[in-house]
Amino acid sequence: MEICRIDTYRVRLPLRTPFETSYGLLTEKAFDLLILTDELGNQGLGELVAFEQPDYIEETLETARIIVTKHLIPLLIQDEILHPEEISERFSVVKGNEMAKSSLETAVWDLYAKRQNQSLKTFFTDTRKMIPVGVSVGIQRDLDLLLEQIAEYVNQGYQRVKLKIKPGYDLKPVAYIRQQFPRLELMVDGNSAYTVDDIPHLQKLDQFQLAMIEQPFAANDFLDHSLLQQALQTKICLDENIRSLKDCQLAYALGSCQSINLKIPRVGGITEALRIVQFCQEKELLVWLGGMFESGIGRALNLQFASQKVFTFPGDISAYNRYFYEDVITEPFELEKGSLRVPSGLGIGVKLNQAVLNQWGQRETLYNKNKI
Ligand code: OSB
Ligand code: MG
């Protein structure tokens, strides 16, 4: 197949409620949609999920845009594409910049599936239609409000709660939630806010039967995470650290974690994500699907991928109304008994809502072979 045209929508969607992590406050989600058009007029959709601040990882929306337009699009259009698995190899001359790569790589997978008249999940093995999901809850200093928020999510049916923590805001909120919800599937996410000196403090989390503790230490740290995992009963889960299969192998070899939060954009796309799933299965590492406050496009991709039965642990894939007032797709995802349904259409299975895009987005053409 040949990519003849590439368009983008730069979108900002206001969040229903601001989301606080140890990095700061997110009040709206800015992202780019990428639309690839082939020689037959089929369209593949991808989402560039990078945040505006380089706090979660190095990439930002702006740096990723430069990488996409200046370095990746030329590689994408230079030769015909026979299979989407070729793309990660073709992009490997560009170092890092996984989210930029993923925005195009996943769009190529969507386009390929549509050309084959297939849903994307048909390219994965052992899939199902309903995906158990959880919710990630931001830092909320008023513990009664926090509890109210969590009770609301539990009532809606979410099957797992992830609580964002940071130094000075950890044991107390966790103890408070545990007291009210003794059997809730609960975990915490430190988003790199702790250091090796906090190990004795973090050991106190062992008493709360948490499913796991996500990313307490720095994004490039494997050694201190390994020390912590040895000092803990609770599983450590790595998020920011994991950009590739190699990172998983390193974490496994060092014993830095027992669980992997897999985000397709953070590992450069579907091809690398599939390799990681396979490795985790071989090594019996618990792998589950994370989120980046995606719009319906990235969320549809996540659901297609999470349709693989290995994803038994509820993902950070919530209904659209946990994040936004309206979504950029025509049928936004709703919660059905604690699960989201994998869309059954071709490719990622969703259609763009043009009215919403016109209101919140700005269109630009990045490449046009025939100047059509
Ligand atoms: O660490 O997983 C994270 C959101 C922003 C930045 C980092 C993270 C998160 C989430 C969001 O936890 C999960 C979601 O998309 O629902
Ligand atoms: Mg995380």
Side-chain angles (χ1 to χ4, degrees), residues 56 162 164 189 191 214 239-240 261 263:
Y56 167 73
K162 173 164 116 181
K164 294 289 183 178
D189 187 352
N191 284 117
E214 186 171 323
D239 172 357
E240 283 87 327
N261 172 333
K263 298 180 183 174

Side-chain angles (χ1 to χ4, degrees), residues 98-118:
E98 287 81 10
M99 293 179 181
K101 289 173 178 172
S102 176
S103 68
L104 291 171
E105 200 252 13
T106 57
V108 171
W109 273 95
D110 181 39
L111 181 58
Y112 183 76
K114 284 169 177 161
R115 282 173 70 105
Q116 307 277 318
N117 260 302
Q118 301 275 5

